[in-house]
Amino acid sequence: MASDTSRFDLFVIGGGSGGVRAARMAAQRGARVALAEAAAMGGTCVNVGCIPKKLYAYAAHYAHDFADAAGFGWDVGEPRFDWARLKANRAAEIARLNGVYEQLLADAGVQVLRGWAELLDGHTVRVRTEAGLQTHAARHILLATGGTPTLLPVPGAELGVTSDSMFDLEPFPRRLAVVGGGYIACEFASIFQGLGAQVTVLYRGEQILRGFDDEVRQFIAAEMIRSGIDLRLGSEVRAIERGSAGLELTLDDGSGLQADTVLFATGRVPNVNGLGLEAAGVRQGRHGAIEVDTHYRTSVPSVYAVGDVTARLQLTPVALGEAMAVVDHLFGDGRRRMGYEYIPTAVFTHPNIATVGLTEAQARERFGQVAVYRSDFRPLRHTLTGSGERCLMKMVVDKATDRVVGLHMVGPDAGEVVQGFAVAMKAGATKAVFDATIGIHPTVAEEFVTMREPVR
Ligand code: FAD
């Protein structure tokens, strides 16, 4: 057993969004920092999350663009999709990003250790490297180990896959069954439908995208169905078997469904197994999530945790914000705070969804009297394409203060549009400020500053 008692100011476990940001920022502030990562640098977002997902969403949108081009006078012939080329190009880009992350850490002076790390106590980490076990002492330890997808406990579940495997499927699934109704389920359904698969979504709930505004949920469900996705609500998988013509799913109503691939997008749990939390006395909550206080400090004062392992808002910018708050708390003036209100988020379905602030139902519950502005229209682009695709834009205003407290969009580049409006909402913009803002014409986004009459 190799042993190293070098003392670090900060030892980060996990080289994903939160861990890399914390390690880099702490080192830039002069701290002696180590980071342990067991897999590819960059974590979920870079390797099997946001980035490859968005690249594949771009790929899928081309299918719609080719179809739309005819109305603008273009004849593009019969498009042919090469799955192997997309996978290879994505893999090359992700490998480049892995290198960028490693370089960023090296440039900042962070000592990177490749291997599985576990806590021995509140100041000691053991890393299982290729060279053997190494033990390191640290003044502070940051747990940023992220989350991991789960399979449903049904017979034959092991025949299915999780989102981690979707980027390298071989061969391309002609028939894809997606189990789940959250944003990851919806995104993969849209992506693979766009790429040419026949997609069935099986969701046990009443409507997909729980937590989003109800009108947004209904609207995107209708758009997904219109684009050809077989969306089955109130539907559960009972069992999966391998048959002669692929995977055979048995559903709760007794009916069957055949698929080449079954994706379980049924939730993620914190990555805490084998992390030594019990040994160190770190308190955990539901599904093993690490409990933290407002400074991201766990029940062990020298141990902190950020990102998905704390199972709060599982988004990369949230992990980054939390990481920077921890570094500021430990090595800065401690004034930086992560605000959880008005965090914008997007769902890269076709069309995209983006949202910031409260749903209409949440706003009614919190403020009582709200005004709702809503517009549902065919975007200019589709006046020539013949596509029936529509766009939904919705704003919720607190009547007492006139403040815009919820803003929702389903339409092209919704994430790009809503990011800007999120700044205004964070700054407390009222409906009067929106009204006084001049639109950019002709755009879809101008609709948000030209909504005059509330619908309720
Ligand atoms: P992670 O990025 O998961 O990093 C954790 C790292 O810790 C991993 O690299 C892991 O290998 C390592 N690790 C774990 N345990 C150990 C150990 N004991 N020793 C050493 N290393 C260890 N978010 C968005 O904001 N926008 C999106 O569009 C988006 N799309 C997504 C799509 C998918 C399919 C998925 C799955 C997630 C998506 N997310 C998205 C969520 C986002 O990826 C996560 O919120 C973010 O990566 C969390 O960062 P993190 O630092 O907490 O953990």
Side-chain angles (χ1 to χ4, degrees), residues 18 40 51 61 67 104 159 176 197 222 233 264-265 269 296 306 321 361 377 424 433:
I51 303 297
H61 283 299
L104 282 173
L159 296 170
L176 172 68
L233 300 172
F264 283 100
V269 292
Y296 309 97
V306 294
F377 57 97
V433 171

Side-chain angles (χ1 to χ4, degrees), residues 360-435:
E360 183 180 338
Q362 288 168 338
R364 282 192 192 288
E365 203 181 312
R366 188 175 313 177
F367 301 110
Q369 296 285 312
V370 297
V372 176
Y373 297 80
R374 181 190 189 282
S375 180
D376 165 355
F377 57 97
R378 181 161 68 156
L380 175 64
R381 172 189 162 97
H382 290 308
T383 55
L384 294 197
T385 64
S387 161
E389 189 180 309
R390 297 187 69 77
C391 184
L392 172 72
M393 299 175 86
K394 177 171 175 179
M395 279 199 301
V396 186
V397 177
D398 170 24
K399 275 193 179 167
T401 60
D402 195 40
R403 193 170 167 188
V404 179
V405 294
L407 185 140
H408 312 275
M409 173 172 173
V410 185
D413 295 319
E416 308 291 346
V417 172
V418 169
Q419 178 68 84
F421 285 106
V423 178
M425 289 174 60
K426 192 87 187 163
T430 58
K431 181 67 169 62
V433 171
F434 274 63
D435 290 344

Side-chain angles (χ1 to χ4, degrees), residues 13-19 36-40 42-45 48-50 53 115-117 144-147 163 183-184 187-188 268 271 275 306-309 314-317 319 348:
I13 304 184
S17 308
E37 170 54 60
T44 304
C45 177
V48 287
C50 333
K53 182 269 309 276
W116 187 263
T145 53
S163 60
Y183 84 92
I184 292 176
E187 288 180 336
F188 278 110
R268 295 174 63 80
N271 233 336
L275 194 53
V306 294
D308 285 7
V309 77
Q314 300 181 12
L315 293 169
T316 280
F348 296 98

Side-chain angles (χ1 to χ4, degrees), residues 253-316:
D253 62 1
S255 66
L257 177 73
Q258 285 189 338
D260 302 310
T261 298
V262 179
L263 164 64
F264 283 100
T266 44
R268 295 174 63 80
V269 292
N271 233 336
V272 288
N273 283 343
L275 194 53
L277 297 182
E278 297 78 8
V282 174
R283 199 160 48 232
Q284 294 168 259
R286 207 163 156 255
H287 298 306
I290 297 175
E291 292 185 353
V292 290
D293 67 11
T294 49
H295 293 298
Y296 309 97
R297 194 195 292 250
T298 71
S299 55
V300 177
S302 54
V303 179
Y304 290 74
V306 294
D308 285 7
V309 77
T310 61
R312 292 172 166 193
L313 265 182
Q314 300 181 12
L315 293 169
T316 280

